[in-house]
Amino acid sequence: MNILISNDHAGVELKNAVNSFLKKKGYVVENLGDNSGESVDYPDIIHPLAKEISNNKNKKGIIMCGTGNGVSMVANKYKGVRAGLCWSKEIAELIRKHNDANILSLPARFLSS
Ligand code: RB5
């Protein structure tokens, strides 16, 4: 499965951890996020990922910002995109099973590794 990932400056560290984890599991990961840690506007960073998921029903995404809210608000404006805020394994499972989420939104500043 191809997984798109994206993040603003608040999510660089978490994105790197998620990227490594997914690659070790054998997923093909496309990183569309900020890598610099310099301040960026989260909508600019999320639009390309959300458009791609909106146009490709079989693709999934993981997005990250400080709270996970800004990025999910942007992504959820796109037709066919269902981004769910998630902070635990149980919620991740529930938003897939009950909400058919195709994007997982993570609050980078409120998760510990
Ligand atoms: C960036 O400081 C922060 O506002 C952003 O990462 C996000 O939490 C917005 O929703």
Side-chain angles (χ1 to χ4, degrees):
M1 184 198 296
N2 284 26
I3 301 184
L4 307 175
I5 57 176
S6 194
N7 59 283
D8 73 357
H9 52 281
V12 176
E13 201 177 318
L14 179 61
K15 184 270 299 292
N16 290 336
V18 167
N19 196 3
S20 302
F21 176 82
L22 291 173
K23 283 181 173 165
K24 273 186 205 148
K25 293 275 180 191
Y27 291 99
V28 176
V29 183
E30 195 177 340
N31 173 20
L32 302 176
D34 175 60
N35 297 308
S36 70
E38 300 293 321
S39 186
V40 292
D41 288 333
Y42 61 83
D44 296 342
I45 262 339
I46 295 306
H47 286 306
L49 179 146
K51 272 183 202 157
E52 186 74 15
I53 304 266
S54 178
N55 292 330
N56 295 281
K57 284 190 175 22
N58 54 349
K59 288 194 177 175
K60 303 281 187 286
I62 302 177
I63 56 178
M64 294 149 260
C65 69
T67 64
N69 276 302
V71 289
S72 59
M73 286 176 190
V74 173
N76 279 323
K77 292 184 187 298
Y78 284 80
K79 189 174 181 204
V81 167
R82 294 170 302 283
L85 182 61
C86 177
W87 58 92
S88 72
K89 183 172 178 278
E90 188 180 12
I91 292 173
E93 288 169 355
L94 288 171
I95 64 172
R96 280 293 298 138
K97 283 183 191 157
H98 293 197
N99 311 109
D100 194 22
N102 50 12
I103 296 184
L104 186 68
S105 181
L106 302 176
R109 289 185 175 145
F110 297 87
L111 292 177
S112 52
S113 50

